[in-house]
């Protein structure tokens, strides 16, 4: 049973909330939500209907970051690492047209998405502190340094 346009927009919104919440907490779920966002955009037909907005200057500006990495592949001698980097940054190519093509229904939705990201950051922080506390209580090792704390959510310390 096909969904209506309004239902696709609601699915799009909730998948973005899911993506933003799990981005700092559990990156595998965030990537899965991102794939679902792209599939929903393709299934809804909104990407095709709003192709002018999807191929406008702002989405192309953000997607050009990926194109610069693609151009950088001409200069690298380590193609295996370069291809892995291109795979990692593929969302820079696919996500801007999707995000610009499907508008959010209400301005308050942006605040809800931002709030979901904030709660995800707070949850990731509490999780890192809890893991470091348990490690300290069990073994006496101090893992409260930023480079160790970020390891619990498999992130670079600067992301925290």
């Amino acid at each position: 049973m096909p969904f209506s346009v309004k239902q696709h927009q609601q699915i799009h919104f909730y998948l973005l909330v899911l993506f933003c919440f799990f981005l700092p907490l559990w990156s595998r779920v965030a990537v899965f939500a991102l794939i679902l966002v792209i599939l929903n955009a393709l299934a809804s037909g909104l990407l095709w209907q709003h192709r002018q907005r999807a191929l406008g200057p702002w989405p192309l500006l953000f997607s050009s970051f990926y194109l610069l990495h693609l151009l950088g592949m001409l200069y690298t001698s380590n193609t295996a690492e370069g291809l892995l980097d291109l795979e990692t940054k593929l969302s820079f190519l696919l996500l801007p047209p999707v995000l610009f093509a499907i508008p959010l229904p209400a301005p308050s939705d942006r605040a809800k998405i931002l709030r979901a990201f904030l709660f995800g950051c707070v949850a990731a922080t509490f999780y890192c502190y809890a893991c470091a506390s348990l490690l300290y209580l069990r073994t006496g090792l101090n893992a409260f340094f930023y480079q160790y704390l970020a390891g619990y959510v498999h992130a670079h310390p600067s992301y925290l």
Side-chain angles (χ1 to χ4, degrees), residues 82-160:
L83 289 173
L84 182 66
D85 189 48
L86 285 177
E87 179 187 345
T88 303
K89 291 179 175 45
L90 188 61
S91 62
F92 285 113
L93 181 66
L94 300 175
L95 200 56
V98 169
L99 291 179
F100 281 94
I102 302 176
L104 295 174
S108 64
D109 289 344
R110 288 187 190 101
K112 291 175 186 174
I113 290 172
L114 186 60
R115 205 172 301 126
F117 179 69
L118 178 66
F119 287 144
C121 288
V122 169
T125 302
F126 281 136
Y127 176 73
C128 290
Y129 279 127
C131 289
S133 298
L134 286 174
L135 180 69
Y136 182 74
L137 291 175
R138 288 183 185 162
T139 64
L141 293 173
N142 186 2
F144 286 97
F145 298 105
Y146 72 98
Q147 68 265 26
Y148 300 123
L149 281 174
Y152 292 115
V153 289
H154 306 290
H156 191 272
S158 61
Y159 288 137
L160 291 181

Side-chain angles (χ1 to χ4, degrees), residues 40-118:
N40 180 54
L42 292 173
S44 70
L46 290 172
L47 196 59
W48 179 253
Q49 288 175 347
H50 300 288
R51 62 185 172 276
Q52 294 289 45
R53 212 176 340 176
L55 297 175
W58 286 107
L60 290 178
L61 176 70
F62 288 110
S63 295
S64 66
F65 181 71
Y66 184 81
L67 298 175
L68 288 174
H69 275 80
L70 194 61
L71 184 64
M73 285 294 292
L74 297 173
Y75 297 102
T76 186
S77 59
N78 190 355
T79 56
E81 187 70 27
L83 289 173
L84 182 66
D85 189 48
L86 285 177
E87 179 187 345
T88 303
K89 291 179 175 45
L90 188 61
S91 62
F92 285 113
L93 181 66
L94 300 175
L95 200 56
V98 169
L99 291 179
F100 281 94
I102 302 176
L104 295 174
S108 64
D109 289 344
R110 288 187 190 101
K112 291 175 186 174
I113 290 172
L114 186 60
R115 205 172 301 126
F117 179 69
L118 178 66

